[in-house]
């Protein structure tokens, strides 16, 4: 039986909803559970799952809907009570006994409750996000706008408001920042160093943080400006301000600019904001050697950009990759000749772009929902190489981001066992604050099942993280190794490993970037 409970006008974000869903599902006797906001897309999904239309009649986007399919009424009721406990314990716990004052209901109340605050982190549905960001700017705050589903026109208006107010808008869809040593959004635990990162790319910022930490440098600040900031429409409004801020930071000796495929003209204009501080541009998808006056080096990959930045400070990034080539040789051995394609299931958009950039010279066109060339946009023809960014809006509307909820990839991963042409499955696993507390516990068993089947495809995994991340970098890597995966040291090497296995040439993994 299916039981439904609606809480009117009680918005909570996707992280809390995910926790409530888990609490309901873990209740004895419950087979299916969910807790979502009552958006039209979510209501349609609930009806597809068997919820009667009358049970969600007149539900609005700001209402919480909880559903439990259980053996009987008592089990369903207990599951929904468990969900309520998570929803409302989260909203009422103050961490300091402050009651309602510790959980202000409006931005204005929050500003009044926290004297001296200078950054607002905004995570509300996209339809409300721009308005709340304007309010924060008017209150004298810088803004990290975590929300997506904000239009380009709204983004430009917000950033013009910020420029006029002398404030910075990071976002929309700004998943990562580290300011004054404090991580915001999805952030990794990175050592303090001498390199400042300006990133129009969320997981691009995280990969830069992680590699800088692991390669002995670390970061001063990380300013995420939103994935569209270096587009022609937005014209680098926030990136220019962020570059100037890094220039004025006495601890920043090198600036690393990271971007998904940008407008080349906008990238040049942003770099031109930099004065005396050396700047390296990691412009994913832009050809190495592209002329960007003022940049010390330009790389088309994240790994290459970080390596250039480390070398500028006298460091020695790795040039040898341990046992990776031997692991790839082992994966090639026994792989069926009928298996000829790659399937990438990414949680990180910039990691997906980097993989496309590195695989296409070896494989030919790779189709994607975020392709480097629009003619290779999915749906793809039979027998095509495909890499999907599952963090894009078409996959996240009404459900948690796949870095928060790795179960979002399970169904797709399990379905690959029925596709006999796939040679390699390529996965990224992103650690750090904000991400799932143990993604290997969810995904490694599914990888083991797929890898252990007769005539199985090979699985290549990259775990993005640092030794300080709460999930435990080595523990996560070990779990995927034990599941039979090839575990690569960087996202770029994972992409090269996937290409190498597919074309049966292990030397590809040693490509110099």
């Amino acid at each position: 039986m299916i039981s439904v409970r609606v809480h009117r006008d009680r918005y909570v974000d996707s992280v809390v909803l995910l926790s409530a869903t888990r609490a309901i599902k873990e209740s004895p006797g419950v087979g299916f559970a969910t807790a979502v906001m009552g958006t039209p897309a979510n209501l349609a999904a609930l009806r597809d799952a068997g919820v009667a239309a009358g049970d969600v009649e007149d539900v609005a986007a700001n209402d919480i809907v909880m559903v439990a399919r259980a053996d009987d009424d008592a089990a369903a009721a207990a599951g929904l009570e468990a969900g309520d406990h998570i929803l409302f314990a989260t909203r009422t716990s103050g961490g300091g006994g402050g009651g309602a004052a510790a959980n202000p209901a409006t931005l204005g109340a929050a500003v009044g409750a926290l004297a001296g605050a200078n950054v607002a982190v905004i995570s509300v549905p996209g339809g409300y996000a721009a308005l709340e960001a304007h309010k924060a700017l008017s209150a004298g705050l810088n803004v990290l706008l975590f929300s997506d589903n904000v239009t380009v026109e709204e983004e430009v208006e917000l950033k013009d408001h910020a420029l006029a107010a002398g404030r910075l808008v990071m976002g929309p869809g700004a998943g990562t920042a580290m300011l004054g040593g404090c991580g915001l959004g999805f952030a990794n635990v990175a050592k303090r160093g001498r390199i400042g990162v300006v990133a129009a790319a969320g997981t691009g910022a995280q990969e830069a943080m992680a590699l800088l930490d692991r390669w002995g440098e670390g970061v001063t600040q990380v300013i995420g400006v939103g994935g569209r900031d270096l587009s022609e429409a937005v014209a680098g409004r926030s990136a220019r301000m962020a570059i100037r801020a890094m220039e004025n930071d006495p601890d920043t000796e090198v600036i690393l600019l990271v971007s998904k495929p940008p407008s080349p003209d906008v990238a040049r204009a942003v770099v031109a904001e930099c004065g005396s501080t050396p700047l390296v541009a990691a412009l994913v998808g832009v050809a190495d050697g592209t002329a960007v006056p003022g940049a010390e080096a330009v790389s088309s990959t994240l790994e290459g950009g970080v390596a250039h930045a480390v070398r500028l400070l006298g460091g020695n990034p790795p040039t040898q990759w341990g046992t990776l080539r031997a692991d790839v040789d082992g994966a090639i051995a026994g792989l069926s000749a009928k298996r000829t394609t790659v399937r990438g299931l990414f949680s990180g958009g910039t990691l997906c772009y980097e993989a496309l950039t590195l695989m296409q010279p070896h494989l030919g066109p790779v189709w994607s929902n975020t392709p480097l060339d629009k003619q290779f946009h999915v749906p793809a023809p039979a027998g095509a190489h495909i890499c999907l960014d599952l963090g894009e809006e078409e996959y996240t509307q009404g459900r948690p981001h796949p870095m928060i909820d790795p179960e979002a990839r399970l169904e797709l991963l399990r379905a690959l066992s029925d596709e006999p042409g796939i040679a390699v499955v390529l996965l990224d696993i992103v650690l750090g604050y904000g991400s799932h507390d143990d993604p290997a516990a969810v995904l490694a068993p599914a990888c083991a099942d797929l890898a252990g089947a007769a005539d199985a495809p090979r699985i290549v995994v990259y775990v993005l993280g640092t030794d300080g991340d709460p999930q435990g970098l080595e523990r996560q890597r070990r779990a995927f190794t034990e599941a039979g995966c090839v575990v690569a040291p960087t996202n770029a090497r994972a992409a090269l490993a996937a290409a190498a296995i597919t074309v049966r040439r292990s030397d590809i993994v040693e490509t110099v970037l």
Side-chain angles (χ1 to χ4, degrees):
M1 64 156 298
I2 295 178
S3 293
V4 179
R5 184 174 295 178
V6 177
H7 295 290
R8 304 283 182 181
D9 198 26
R10 295 287 188 94
Y11 175 78
V12 296
D13 67 24
S14 60
V15 177
V16 178
L17 291 170
L18 174 61
S19 298
T21 297
R22 287 180 178 152
I24 302 169
K25 191 172 183 179
E26 290 170 2
S27 189
V30 175
F32 168 82
T34 191
V36 296
M37 300 307 302
T39 63
N42 286 343
L43 296 182
L46 291 178
R47 289 191 289 269
D48 289 343
V51 174
D55 287 340
V56 290
E57 190 174 7
D58 299 326
V59 167
N62 215 38
D63 300 335
I64 300 171
V65 184
M66 298 195 303
V67 178
R69 182 188 293 125
D71 298 337
D72 52 46
D73 288 343
L80 295 176
E81 287 298 320
D84 276 353
H85 176 75
I86 294 295
L87 291 175
F88 302 113
T90 301
R91 289 175 63 84
T92 57
S93 63
N103 289 278
T106 67
L107 179 66
V111 171
L114 188 59
N118 62 3
V119 178
V121 179
I122 296 176
S123 177
V124 298
Y128 308 102
L131 176 61
E132 293 303 312
H134 279 296
K135 290 179 183 177
L137 291 170
S138 296
L141 300 171
N142 300 287
V143 172
L144 186 137
L145 185 52
F146 191 83
S147 306
D148 53 14
N149 294 301
V150 175
T151 68
V152 172
E153 293 76 16
E154 290 173 324
E155 179 174 352
V156 170
E157 290 176 359
L158 273 173
K159 291 182 173 180
D160 283 342
H161 183 178
L163 288 167
R167 295 290 180 265
L168 179 65
V169 167
M170 296 168 276
T176 300
M178 179 175 282
L179 306 175
C182 178
L184 302 176
F186 297 113
N188 299 91
V189 180
K191 293 188 287 285
R192 183 78 177 171
R194 297 175 288 172
I195 298 176
V197 180
V198 176
T203 47
Q206 288 189 265
E207 177 73 331
M209 293 170 69
L211 295 185
L212 287 169
D213 178 271
R214 282 161 25 202
W215 293 354
E217 254 308 324
V219 299
T220 52
Q221 319 287 339
V222 179
I223 301 177
V225 294
R228 295 185 303 217
D229 195 76
L230 269 66
S231 66
E232 286 189 25
V234 186
R237 283 167 164 82
S238 289
R240 295 173 193 230
M241 182 175 284
I243 292 287
R244 292 195 294 269
M246 292 291 189
E247 276 272 284
N248 292 325
D249 177 12
D251 295 328
T252 297
E253 297 181 25
V254 171
I255 298 171
L256 176 61
L257 174 65
V258 175
S259 178
K260 296 178 181 180
S263 159
D265 289 341
V266 173
R268 293 184 187 103
V270 168
V271 171
E273 294 288 340
C274 195
S276 60
T277 304
L279 182 146
V280 173
L283 308 177
V284 178
V286 172
D288 284 336
T290 296
V292 182
E296 294 285 335
V298 178
S299 175
S300 64
T301 68
L302 301 166
E303 181 189 297
V306 173
H308 281 301
V310 170
R311 289 190 195 103
L312 281 179
L313 292 172
N316 294 298
T319 57
Q320 303 295 317
W321 302 103
T323 65
L324 183 60
R325 184 167 180 177
D327 293 342
V328 168
D329 278 327
I332 292 171
L335 180 62
S336 169
K338 296 179 180 179
R339 292 190 174 275
T340 59
T341 61
V342 171
R343 183 66 52 84
L345 302 176
F346 284 86
S347 63
T350 320
L351 304 184
C352 184
Y353 277 120
E354 185 179 41
L356 292 170
T357 297
L358 288 166
M359 288 195 296
Q360 288 190 156
H362 304 288
L363 301 179
V366 182
W367 296 65
S368 179
N369 59 330
T370 56
L372 295 172
D373 185 328
K374 291 181 180 179
Q375 68 176 311
F376 301 121
H377 196 287
V378 291
H385 306 289
I386 301 172
C387 284
L388 298 176
D389 173 11
L390 301 180
E392 277 292 294
E393 293 177 358
E394 65 263 32
Y395 290 103
T396 60
Q397 285 202 10
R399 67 185 305 170
H401 191 282
M403 290 194 304
I404 299 171
D405 181 12
E407 293 188 12
R409 284 195 278 186
L410 277 181
E411 184 177 347
L412 292 172
L413 185 59
R414 288 168 176 157
L416 297 182
S417 61
D418 296 326
E419 298 191 33
I422 296 176
V424 179
V425 178
L426 178 58
L427 301 174
D428 65 331
I429 308 298
V430 182
L431 310 182
Y433 292 116
S435 294
H436 189 273
D437 57 3
D438 190 2
V442 178
L443 292 172
C447 290
D449 289 344
L450 183 58
D455 185 29
R458 306 312 189 229
I459 304 174
V460 176
V461 171
Y462 171 56
V463 182
L464 188 166
T466 71
D467 290 337
D469 285 333
Q471 297 89 346
L473 174 60
E474 287 309 313
R475 182 170 66 86
Q476 297 290 313
R477 287 171 54 87
R478 185 169 58 253
F480 286 102
T481 299
E482 293 172 352
C485 305
V486 173
V487 179
T490 72
N491 184 66
R493 298 298 148 180
L496 291 169
I501 295 167
T502 303
V503 300
R504 280 69 169 177
R505 277 190 51 203
S506 63
D507 61 296
I508 289 173
V509 300
E510 297 174 348
T511 300
V512 176
L513 302 181

